[in-house]
Amino acid sequence: MERYRNRTYRNVFSELGKSEGDVNRRLEEAFKTFFYGGEDRIYHEADGGMGYLEDTGNHDVRTEGMSYGMMMCVQMDMKNEFDRIWKWAKTYMYMEGGENEGYFAWSCGTDGRKNAYGPAPDGEEFFAMALFFASHRWGDGEGIYAYSEEARKILRACLHKGEGGRPGQAMWNRDNSLILFVPGCPFTDPSYHLPHFYELFALWADEDDRPFWKKAAAASREYLAIACHKNTGLCSEYANFDGSPMDKDFPWGNFGNFFSDAYRTAANIGLDAEWFGDDRGQLGIPLKMMRFFGTDLEAVRCEYKIDGTPRERPVLHPLGLLATMAQGALAVPYGSEDFDTAARWVEWFWNQPLRKGPRRYYDNCLYLFALLALSGRYRIW
């Protein structure tokens, strides 16, 4: 771990002339609002030493938000809040038996009752990474606070369910090493692909599984290079294994265009560029997206087909899109001929406050991650 503790991280805000004091104040104010900001907060404490993050648009608790909250807390050295969120997740979301034993129910009510008994893989991968970081930053405790073993148990389930008579299905396709939208399904979600996490799982997961995680990191980078349009850089929310959009009507909608889930892809590529910089054709994607949207923020106001054809559907999360595009600036080297393009998005982001109102949850999660990443505070622990 020493090589990670001693490494340096880009502060893009500093590159643009923002003072350390201004950056620190922005971080402190945003985190205070997000966790303890009265009616604007996302985080809520609960009885029994627990806490949860509410999806304020849907009035439920999701593994996406809970695992995001844990990652935010470990980055900001907020151990009390981290442990509260993790205890709530293990108490109410974790499934002890049945087909999805070992996974977490993707949605619960704020009272802890499960709304569904299926998992969402983006939650599991963030839970595991946050737990490994907690182990390295604070040390392992006992029971559910033996963070590193809890992380390994999650990854064990993700790869090995369905083997040896074990019920359920895995979250990764073992043939192509790609993460799935849900366990066992024949397609993926490009925004779930976190090769920078898999590089670290290849160091810290069960020893026998480490070669798979190394392979998964390369496979995801190569996948993003084909799933994102060669001209616009846009990807669909759901996509086939060959990278083409999953243009199909599901009972819950059609997800073959560039919309809410897909926004995260630029942010993920930016953080991968910062942490590892292994380019398999994917690191140029955020810049393509910036060029596609151009110099007018109005361009981010609707849904798009991945070739750039606008749709009539308005965006639900404009601040989230702006935040992820800004975080993608980490894939554009400082001082390069393209840095001015990236800098414009970071400046736009810097000038935006946290979102208020019922849909603030997703936007403000992505906002806090961008603040951490662009200030050099989203680190490997």
Side-chain angles (χ1 to χ4, degrees):
M1 281 308 301
E2 202 61 31
R3 64 174 167 151
Y4 295 122
R5 293 185 188 280
N6 294 333
R7 68 175 292 177
T8 59
Y9 296 82
R10 282 181 69 183
N11 183 336
V12 182
F13 294 134
S14 177
E15 293 170 0
L16 298 185
K18 314 300 181 190
S19 72
E20 184 176 357
D22 284 345
V23 173
N24 288 340
R25 279 189 291 274
R26 178 63 63 87
L27 276 165
E28 290 166 7
E29 290 168 2
F31 272 83
K32 183 178 180 180
T33 299
F34 189 94
F35 280 89
Y36 295 108
E39 64 180 15
D40 293 324
R41 74 190 187 279
I42 301 297
Y43 170 76
H44 302 266
E45 292 193 347
D47 293 340
M50 292 185 280
Y52 63 87
L53 281 79
E54 180 187 4
D55 178 335
T56 54
N58 295 289
H59 303 294
D60 65 352
V61 181
R62 303 186 171 201
T63 52
E64 170 194 71
M66 295 292 277
S67 60
Y68 283 5
M70 287 167 59
M71 181 61 77
M72 294 170 190
C73 288
V74 74
Q75 295 296 334
M76 291 293 285
D77 200 18
M78 299 167 62
K79 186 176 187 299
N80 173 60
E81 291 84 354
F82 182 100
D83 286 346
R84 282 178 170 271
I85 296 168
W86 177 233
K87 185 177 181 182
W88 202 101
K90 283 289 284 190
T91 300
Y92 295 120
M93 309 184 98
Y94 187 71
M95 291 179 279
E96 298 278 0
E99 181 179 359
N100 289 316
E101 173 270 328
Y103 291 151
F104 294 77
W106 75 272
S107 171
C108 288
T110 57
D111 61 0
R113 288 181 292 183
K114 292 180 177 64
N115 294 327
Y117 286 84
D122 58 335
E124 265 72 2
E125 59 185 348
F126 260 90
F127 277 139
M129 193 76 270
L131 287 162
F132 277 131
F133 285 169
S135 171
H136 301 151
R137 186 160 199 183
W138 301 318
D140 285 329
E142 298 181 353
I144 67 168
Y145 306 113
Y147 305 122
S148 60
E149 180 51 32
E150 291 291 321
R152 292 187 187 98
K153 285 196 295 186
I154 291 170
L155 296 182
R156 210 172 292 143
C158 288
L159 291 191
H160 296 294
K161 283 184 67 63
E163 296 179 359
R166 187 176 182 180
Q169 295 179 298
M171 288 186 170
W172 265 261
N173 182 302
R174 295 303 293 265
D175 294 328
N176 59 27
S177 305
L178 299 180
I179 191 171
L180 305 175
F181 173 66
V182 294
C185 80
F187 62 93
T188 184
D189 178 327
S191 76
Y192 282 14
H193 288 256
L194 306 174
H196 46 302
F197 283 15
Y198 313 152
E199 290 279 2
L200 299 173
F201 295 163
L203 299 177
W204 304 327
D206 288 343
E207 188 170 355
D208 288 347
D209 292 334
R210 293 176 186 179
F212 173 84
W213 291 116
K214 188 68 176 178
K215 185 177 178 181
S220 279
R221 290 177 179 126
E222 291 165 3
Y223 180 76
L224 290 171
I226 62 170
C228 297
H229 193 274
K230 62 181 180 179
N231 296 324
T232 66
L234 305 181
C235 68
S236 56
E237 293 188 282
Y238 303 171
N240 296 299
F241 293 146
D242 65 1
S244 61
M246 172 59 71
D247 192 9
K248 173 183 175 182
D249 290 325
F250 293 91
W252 54 96
N254 185 295
F255 296 83
N257 294 324
F258 180 76
F259 203 59
S260 300
D261 261 22
Y263 301 167
R264 298 178 293 191
T265 304
N268 296 337
I269 292 171
L271 195 60
D272 186 29
E274 170 69 357
W275 282 9
F276 293 101
D278 183 355
D279 192 3
R280 304 294 179 103
Q282 85 285 4
L283 294 188
I285 288 166
L287 185 60
K288 289 181 181 179
M289 296 172 67
M290 293 171 187
R291 288 172 173 162
F292 166 73
F293 285 118
T295 59
D296 184 357
L297 272 179
E298 288 303 310
V300 305
R301 299 301 177 187
C302 71
E303 177 187 45
Y304 288 89
K305 296 182 74 66
I306 71 166
D307 66 3
T309 304
R311 310 287 288 176
E312 293 184 1
R313 185 183 185 188
V315 299
L316 295 177
H317 304 288
L319 181 62
L321 176 52
L322 177 56
T324 55
M325 292 290 292
Q327 187 172 323
L330 288 166
V332 183
Y334 177 64
S336 68
E337 62 181 358
D338 298 308
F339 184 72
D340 285 349
T341 300
R344 181 167 57 243
W345 284 89
V346 177
E347 286 285 1
W348 281 337
F349 170 71
W350 177 262
N351 291 323
Q352 293 294 320
L354 283 165
R355 184 172 180 175
K356 296 180 180 293
R359 290 204 175 274
R360 67 188 183 277
Y361 150 79
Y362 185 65
D363 293 81
N364 289 349
C365 283
L366 300 180
Y367 185 99
L368 261 63
F369 278 142
L371 273 183
L372 287 169
L374 293 168
S375 64
R377 315 294 175 87
Y378 200 156
R379 300 178 178 180
I380 299 170
W381 291 96

